Amino acid sequence: MGNRMNGEREGMPSGILALIILIGSYILMRFVISPPLPSALTNFFMLFVIVGVLIHITLEDGRIEEFLDFISFRSRLHPIYNVIRWTVFIMIPFFVTYQVYSAVKISYAPPGELFQPHVTPPEWVVGFKVPEWASDPATWGRGLIAEGKIYYENHCAPCHGKEADGRGPEARVLIYPIPPTNFKDPGAIAQLPLSYVYWRVKEGGVRDRQFMSSMPAWEEEMDDEEIWKTIMYMYTKAGVKPRTW
Amino acid sequence: MKKAIGYFIVVVLVAAAYFLGKEPVVEAYREFPLIGARNVVWILAQLMLLFAAFILAVPVFAVIIEAIGYFKRDERYDRLARDFASLLPLAYLVTALLGALFSVMSFSLYPKFMGYMAGIFRPTIYIFFGLVFLETVTLYIWYYTWDLLKKRNHLLLGIVLNVLGTLVMFVGNAWTSFKTSPAGVEVSGNLLSLSSAIFNYTFWPLNLHRFVANVSFGGFICAAYAAYRFLSARTPEEKAHYDWMGYNGTLIGVVTTILLPFIGYWFGIEMYKFNEQMGITFMGGALSKIWLLQALVIAVIFIGTCYYFWLRMDRLPGAERYRKYIPYLSWALIIAFAVWSAPRAWVSSLEEMGRGLHPIYGKLGIMAPKIAAVNIAVLCVILTFILNRRAERQVPPGRKIYTYLQWSVILLVVLLNVAALYYSYIVPSATRIRISIATFLFMVPAIGMIYLMDGLLLRGSERVGEMQWGNVPPRSQYGLIAVAVSNVWAMALLGYGRAAARLNWHVYGVMEDTSRHAGLPAMGEATLIISFLTLVFIGLVSLIFYMTGVTGREVTGGER
């Protein structure tokens, strides 16, 4: 700890390192990753980075002092580092100004929210019994699936895609609040029991107050048998199985 | 203090008389001004549960530590146990008051529902109050005969106290778990079998989960007390003693916390088994945001605890050799928790929506990467312990092999998790779940191996430097306090989650909530209430700390 004052230091000051990490991770999330993370989520993850940096700096007494000397301009630095230090110092008021500006600026964007892909089903779904003939993927007959294919390609493929990958022609415009599901995704129908999927197809998202997605309700278009056959094809095409436990 | 016991008994009796004498009522709900009936009952119930958790937990480890002291013939442990226990008398009193208040409130605001519950569980209510009474009396006898009884008898009494406490918790858990996963009743709600109602689907998971969570909660709260006493200590001896106490409390807290993800997973699976839709609500549906928040608070708990241990190493003679590893651990933890708390989908504006699920966090949002992250985080905590332990030892020469073995286990864990994660994106969900469970379970033998190797490596080793108790930087103590606060928040959040899984049911699928508070509050509102009651709890506990600090015997000896 002793000879800390005024001596020029070896290597990169931890203050500079901290700046590189902070600014670097921000740039990574906003500009390198594509598509960039939403700004609210970036801020959320920046919280982790900031905490990480603070922990790093406060792990050793020596480092704290070095850092304090850095931000209070007590340590003498290599000219380049010094320029960086001054630049950041001068930038701070501008940064704050910009934050204030963007906070009060009127925005027409819809409010941010955490979207939840799997909403809570209504009560009738609780304890709903899947009809015997449709309940076990191992016994789904080829004929049934082939019939399902026709329904699927007519009704569902425009949005969910012929390949069940969520890339139908209409999917390009239906993006809010969530685009058509990619059924191949391990977090989609592969994670749902059949009763739940049946409900999603039957009642859709348009009428669901928790949800309001563009997924239509099919109960008037299709009878139960057709819905089940479509579901069979959907699973087969996507190459996943419903949750059974 | 005798007066306090007197008050306590009176309160318990009055409350008991109140419930048992209550006439069946016709009115289903009553209202509470300003904040509403639901919130009052919620806040009181949670506060009571937090205190109950504390008073159940502290005797568990106080008795264990006392026993260690007895068998090792080491006075220090006895004093430590007593220091832990010194918080109990006041905490009991507060628990009883809150419990009485809660019962009165819930019976008068939700008469029909509570009447139904009391009807189903009537015999157990008598048992409950009998047990609470016995437990209380035992506690006060146990605490005030510390020096009077022969040590062996005192320990025995402590064990009796723990058995009673655990039974009390079991009875309470029967009621709680019945609301989540009712059994033994007809659809109309009539009781068929009391024993099936008690031993319902989530009864044992809840028992185990609460027991372990209580102990870790108790450990962290005690550590916070120690931190407070450390920061306000005047003599080096006092500082040393409370430093040591904080260390032990933290150790108890974190070792038990590591068990919790495993038990929690079991709880979740039982819930799915009982009712799939409820499982979905709980894990992936309306309540899935709870898990993101949970990840944040657990991050504070894990990282805060490790921070404390890392800071010890800054002052530990002999630790210089290992300090260079710490930044890796800290960043690994940060990244693991960033993954754990990554949401699956986040809509914030049309332009930012891009196309579909985001390729990065959309993939991180499902269960498999989170399980890998939990495993890695647990591994980092274990490594922190190992380094801390090794720092003060001189590793005997010729034992390099054990270090290599240790490294290979660690490497194996990491590789296994990475591989499992990779596979989980290409296999069907049933396999994926099995892989996840396997990597989860693999942690147990892996941790066992790491510790075994450590034992062999350090067998008969010499100490390089003695830990200088009382010499840690004060900021580490603030870390401990932050951990405790965050723990309270976590308990309240997950308690809310468990109850909220019932949605608009008092008793899931059996008795519907038809009051105007039925259904769930918005997550934002829920977190405000959780934060509020955390503050109240911290306030009450600080009061207990303060009063115990004032009236407790002054510790003068310190470590010799």
Side-chain angles (χ1 to χ4, degrees):
Chain A
M1 284 184 240
N3 53 347
R4 62 195 179 83
M5 286 296 282
N6 300 327
E8 195 173 309
R9 258 165 231 287
E10 299 287 306
M12 190 185 289
S14 54
I16 298 280
L17 198 63
L19 280 174
I20 293 178
I21 294 178
L22 288 174
I23 297 172
S25 18
Y26 188 80
I27 291 178
L28 178 76
M29 287 188 266
R30 291 295 283 171
F31 303 104
V32 178
I33 291 176
S34 148
L37 302 194
S39 56
L41 194 58
T42 310
N43 293 346
F44 177 72
F45 282 134
M46 282 307 286
L47 194 70
F48 284 87
V49 182
I50 292 171
V51 169
V53 167
L54 282 181
I55 288 180
H56 194 108
I57 288 169
T58 56
L59 274 179
E60 289 173 21
D61 291 347
R63 233 182 262 152
I64 296 185
E65 284 179 23
E66 197 234 271
F67 186 74
L68 288 180
D69 286 351
F70 176 85
I71 56 173
S72 57
F73 289 82
R74 255 183 302 179
S75 49
R76 231 187 309 134
L77 302 176
H78 187 280
I80 296 181
Y81 295 146
N82 210 17
V83 169
I84 300 179
R85 178 164 65 174
W86 273 104
T87 317
V88 172
F89 182 71
I90 293 168
M91 293 288 283
I92 289 175
F94 290 101
F95 178 72
V96 174
T97 312
Y98 176 72
Q99 290 294 324
V100 173
Y101 167 73
S102 42
V104 297
K105 188 178 68 172
I106 293 171
S107 151
Y108 299 102
E113 59 172 313
L114 277 180
F115 186 81
Q116 44 188 64
H118 298 136
V119 285
T120 305
E123 260 134 48
W124 68 262
V125 184
V126 179
F128 175 80
K129 278 273 164 293
V130 178
E132 193 81 46
W133 63 278
S135 61
D136 182 6
T139 63
W140 291 346
R142 270 219 218 118
L144 301 175
I145 295 176
E147 214 178 307
K149 178 173 180 186
I150 302 170
Y151 302 128
Y152 183 87
E153 294 193 341
N154 278 328
H155 295 326
C156 322
C159 294
H160 290 286
K162 257 190 142 115
E163 301 303 319
D165 56 0
R167 300 198 178 192
E170 285 184 30
R172 233 168 304 151
V173 289
L174 297 173
I175 50 174
Y176 191 83
I178 188 173
T181 312
N182 167 8
F183 294 138
K184 291 182 165 154
D185 187 289
I189 54 174
Q191 232 190 35
L192 301 173
L194 283 172
S195 51
Y196 189 93
V197 173
Y198 170 71
W199 162 63
R200 296 295 292 116
V201 179
K202 205 171 162 70
E203 300 202 338
V206 181
R207 274 192 278 154
D208 194 322
R209 268 184 294 122
Q210 303 181 70
F211 215 167
M212 295 289 275
S213 80
S214 56
M215 167 73 189
W218 292 97
E219 58 188 345
E220 268 138 48
E221 247 59 31
M222 304 162 80
D223 61 28
D224 273 2
E225 215 166 282
E226 291 168 354
I227 292 183
W228 282 116
K229 287 171 190 162
T230 315
I231 290 176
M232 289 175 191
Y233 178 74
M234 177 174 85
Y235 272 105
T236 316
K237 188 68 193 169
V240 294
K241 295 214 168 62
R243 192 209 305 266
T244 46
W245 45 277
Chain B
M1 200 42 75
K2 290 215 184 68
K3 238 192 216 163
I5 307 176
Y7 284 132
F8 175 77
I9 292 173
V10 170
V11 169
V12 170
L13 289 180
V14 169
Y18 182 83
F19 308 132
L20 301 178
K22 199 102 176 104
E23 284 292 306
V25 257
V26 272
E27 215 176 342
Y29 300 105
R30 294 203 193 90
E31 204 27 278
F32 192 84
L34 286 176
I35 57 175
R38 193 246 319 266
N39 293 349
V40 177
V41 172
W42 174 3
I43 292 170
L44 286 175
Q46 189 61 55
L47 282 175
M48 174 193 72
L49 280 170
L50 287 168
F51 273 100
F54 184 72
I55 61 172
L56 285 175
V58 173
V60 175
F61 49 81
V63 169
I64 293 175
I65 292 172
E66 193 188 358
I68 294 175
Y70 174 65
F71 289 112
K72 275 192 165 178
R73 309 206 174 287
D74 191 338
E75 266 291 309
R76 283 184 312 154
Y77 284 96
D78 197 65
R79 213 186 46 246
L80 180 65
R82 192 163 181 167
D83 250 343
F84 280 135
S86 66
L87 292 167
L88 283 173
L90 272 176
Y92 258 71
L93 193 65
V94 178
T95 316
L97 290 174
L98 283 168
L101 201 58
F102 164 67
S103 319
V104 170
M105 277 297 175
S106 52
F107 267 96
S108 47
L109 296 177
Y110 288 87
K112 187 163 146 241
F113 165 50
M114 291 306 281
Y116 173 71
M117 288 297 283
I120 298 272
F121 285 105
R122 183 162 301 277
T124 64
I125 294 179
Y126 298 104
I127 297 175
F128 183 79
F129 279 108
L131 286 170
V132 167
F133 183 75
L134 279 179
E135 189 201 359
T136 313
V137 172
T138 316
L139 170 92
Y140 285 99
I141 296 177
W142 178 70
Y143 184 66
Y144 287 105
T145 57
W146 203 289
D147 294 325
L148 301 179
L149 283 182
K150 260 209 217 111
K151 203 78 235 169
R152 192 178 288 269
N153 295 341
H154 192 256
L155 278 173
L156 215 61
L157 195 61
I159 293 173
V160 172
L161 172 65
N162 272 302
V163 171
L164 288 170
T166 311
L167 288 176
V168 169
M169 183 187 77
F170 280 5
V171 179
N173 287 354
W175 307 339
T176 309
S177 57
F178 173 81
K179 289 190 285 179
T180 307
S181 55
V185 289
E186 291 171 4
V187 188
S188 59
N190 292 330
L191 183 66
L192 294 178
S193 147
L194 180 61
S195 74
S196 347
I198 293 175
F199 296 99
N200 58 63
Y201 258 95
T202 54
F203 178 65
W204 280 111
L206 185 64
N207 282 342
L208 194 63
H209 200 293
R210 269 199 174 159
F211 185 78
V212 176
N214 286 353
V215 173
S216 71
F217 175 72
F220 284 128
I221 297 287
C222 284
Y225 171 66
Y228 159 71
R229 295 295 303 260
F230 176 92
L231 292 170
S232 56
R234 287 196 200 89
T235 63
E237 288 81 17
E238 233 184 299
K239 259 193 159 47
H241 178 75
Y242 285 109
D243 185 14
W244 190 57
M245 179 174 176
Y247 177 84
N248 280 296
T250 309
L251 211 58
I252 294 165
V254 78
V255 168
T256 40
T257 303
I258 288 178
L259 300 175
L260 283 178
F262 300 91
I263 306 173
Y265 208 68
W266 179 40
F267 199 161
I269 288 179
E270 288 297 312
M271 237 185 209
Y272 266 111
K273 278 195 194 153
F274 166 71
N275 184 317
E276 254 172 28
Q277 309 302 342
M278 184 189 237
I280 291 182
T281 304
F282 198 42
M283 308 294 283
L287 296 176
S288 61
K289 287 167 202 164
I290 284 183
W291 305 113
L292 303 185
L293 289 173
Q294 183 214 23
L296 279 186
V297 273
I298 299 205
V300 178
I301 294 171
F302 270 32
I303 298 176
T305 311
C306 285
Y307 184 65
Y308 169 79
F309 281 96
W310 296 330
L311 284 185
R312 300 202 79 83
M313 287 180 68
D314 193 30
R315 301 279 173 93
L316 192 61
E320 304 82 11
R321 297 164 292 165
Y322 300 108
R323 239 172 257 163
K324 57 177 179 288
Y325 298 117
I326 294 178
Y328 297 104
L329 287 177
S330 81
W331 284 106
L333 270 173
I334 295 275
I335 292 171
F337 277 102
V339 169
W340 190 352
S341 50
R344 178 159 159 68
W346 181 301
V347 179
S348 46
S349 75
L350 274 178
E351 308 89 82
E352 279 168 345
M353 188 55 216
R355 305 223 56 234
L357 287 177
H358 192 276
I360 295 183
Y361 64 87
K363 284 217 168 63
L364 294 181
I366 59 175
M367 202 66 202
K370 296 190 190 300
I371 292 202
V374 176
N375 288 342
I376 300 291
V378 169
L379 190 69
C380 291
V381 176
I382 299 286
L383 289 181
T384 298
F385 283 173
I386 295 278
L387 287 186
N388 229 274
R389 197 159 101 132
R390 192 161 310 164
E392 43 176 14
R393 307 276 179 150
Q394 183 69 55
V395 180
R399 292 195 187 159
K400 269 263 177 282
I401 175 80
Y402 297 121
T403 346
Y404 294 144
L405 282 173
Q406 237 174 10
W407 276 111
S408 11
V409 176
I410 293 164
L411 205 66
L412 191 66
V413 171
V414 175
L415 286 180
L416 193 82
N417 275 291
V418 173
L421 186 56
Y422 175 72
Y423 273 110
S424 54
Y425 285 105
I426 52 183
V427 295
S429 68
T431 323
R432 183 178 58 229
I433 298 290
R434 252 175 262 135
I435 293 180
S436 287
I437 293 178
T439 59
F440 223 40
L441 291 181
F442 181 72
M443 291 305 285
V444 178
I447 293 174
M449 278 297 282
I450 292 177
Y451 266 97
L452 183 68
M453 290 305 134
D454 217 51
L456 291 173
L457 180 74
L458 296 178
R459 190 172 23 128
S461 61
E462 278 180 27
R463 281 172 183 276
V464 185
E466 195 69 36
M467 178 68 216
Q468 311 261 307
W469 294 108
N471 188 21
V472 296
R475 62 182 183 279
S476 68
Q477 306 293 313
Y478 291 107
L480 292 187
I481 293 173
V483 167
V485 174
S486 171
N487 213 300
V488 178
W489 212 89
M491 296 269 282
L493 175 76
L494 295 171
Y496 163 70
R498 184 187 35 68
R502 302 195 308 259
L503 301 172
N504 55 329
W505 295 93
H506 288 311
V507 179
Y508 195 70
V510 174
M511 188 179 203
E512 198 169 351
D513 185 348
T514 53
S515 73
R516 67 189 190 86
H517 300 295
L520 303 183
M523 199 63 209
E525 192 192 326
T527 49
L528 279 182
I529 293 185
I530 289 167
S531 305
F532 170 74
L533 65 86
T534 301
L535 278 180
V536 175
F537 178 78
I538 298 291
L540 285 172
V541 157
S542 310
L543 204 64
I544 293 183
F545 285 1
Y546 174 74
M547 291 178 46
T548 309
V550 171
T551 57
R553 305 168 315 146
E554 275 304 313
V555 179
T556 43
E559 210 189 353
R560 260 149 289 171

